[in-house]
Amino acid sequence: MTQAISARQLLEVAYDEAQLGLAEGGIPIGAALFAADGTLLGRGHNRRVQSGDPSIHAETDAFRAAGRRRDYGSTIMVTTLSPCWYCSGLVRQFGIGAVIVGESQTFHGGHDWLAEHGVAVTVLEDDRCVEMMTKFITENPALWNEDIGVADEIEAR
């Protein structure tokens, strides 16, 4: 990543995607995949609700939009929320070299694990991302719990 492009500037694309997802009635998580020089390769947002497809998380949507590459080592995945284990696995599987996380206060996903395995991780704790997710979780607890895979635990109570 060039010094002229900051992590917060890259986060803007993911944040805009999260806002799109929210406007569509979905879960407000956005992501974008960038080349090391800051060139946008792909962007996307969580579309589980809109598409009825549980595999379309923000990171997978951005990854698919970026298209095929021979090597992902120099790419940067930017996401508004700490990546879940599914999306953390995607980063490891394809060797994405860096992850920028908008926030990890509302959900602490696999970013520590990624860092332990050589991925350069930057957690910004962006106030807008925290506020967006806090509000969404408060207003949509069942949908949120479904998204993070704990719906069965709630139904069993």
Side-chain angles (χ1 to χ4, degrees):
M1 181 168 50
T2 65
Q3 290 184 0
I5 300 171
S6 73
R8 291 201 181 271
Q9 288 172 311
L10 298 179
L11 180 62
E12 287 304 310
V13 176
Y15 184 80
D16 290 346
E17 283 291 325
Q19 291 293 297
L20 284 172
L22 184 61
E24 294 171 354
I27 298 162
I29 304 170
L33 188 67
F34 292 90
D37 67 359
T39 300
L40 178 63
L41 302 173
R43 59 190 292 161
H45 54 273
N46 185 304
R47 297 176 194 266
R48 294 180 74 250
V49 173
Q50 302 90 312
S51 70
D53 181 344
S55 71
I56 304 179
H57 288 206
E59 296 87 344
T60 59
D61 197 32
F63 183 76
R64 290 171 179 163
R68 182 174 172 242
R69 302 178 62 84
R70 286 190 169 276
D71 180 20
Y72 294 90
S74 64
T75 63
I76 306 160
M77 179 65 77
V78 182
T79 180
T80 57
L81 185 65
S82 180
C84 69
W85 289 109
Y86 170 60
C87 296
S88 294
L90 177 138
V91 169
R92 284 289 316 274
Q93 173 72 30
F94 291 95
I96 293 171
V99 174
I100 296 171
V101 176
E103 69 102 349
S104 66
Q105 292 178 31
T106 60
F107 179 75
H108 194 101
H111 69 267
D112 290 337
W113 176 75
L114 290 171
E116 290 169 7
H117 289 88
V119 177
V121 175
T122 303
V123 180
L124 299 175
E125 299 302 8
D126 182 86
D127 290 338
R128 296 168 312 147
C129 292
V130 173
E131 181 181 328
M132 176 176 56
M133 285 309 301
T134 300
K135 182 177 182 198
F136 180 82
I137 292 167
T138 300
E139 293 175 356
N140 304 279
L143 185 56
W144 171 244
N145 288 322
E146 174 192 329
D147 191 64
I148 61 170
V150 296
D152 291 338
E153 292 176 22
I154 291 170
E155 290 172 12
R157 290 185 196 157

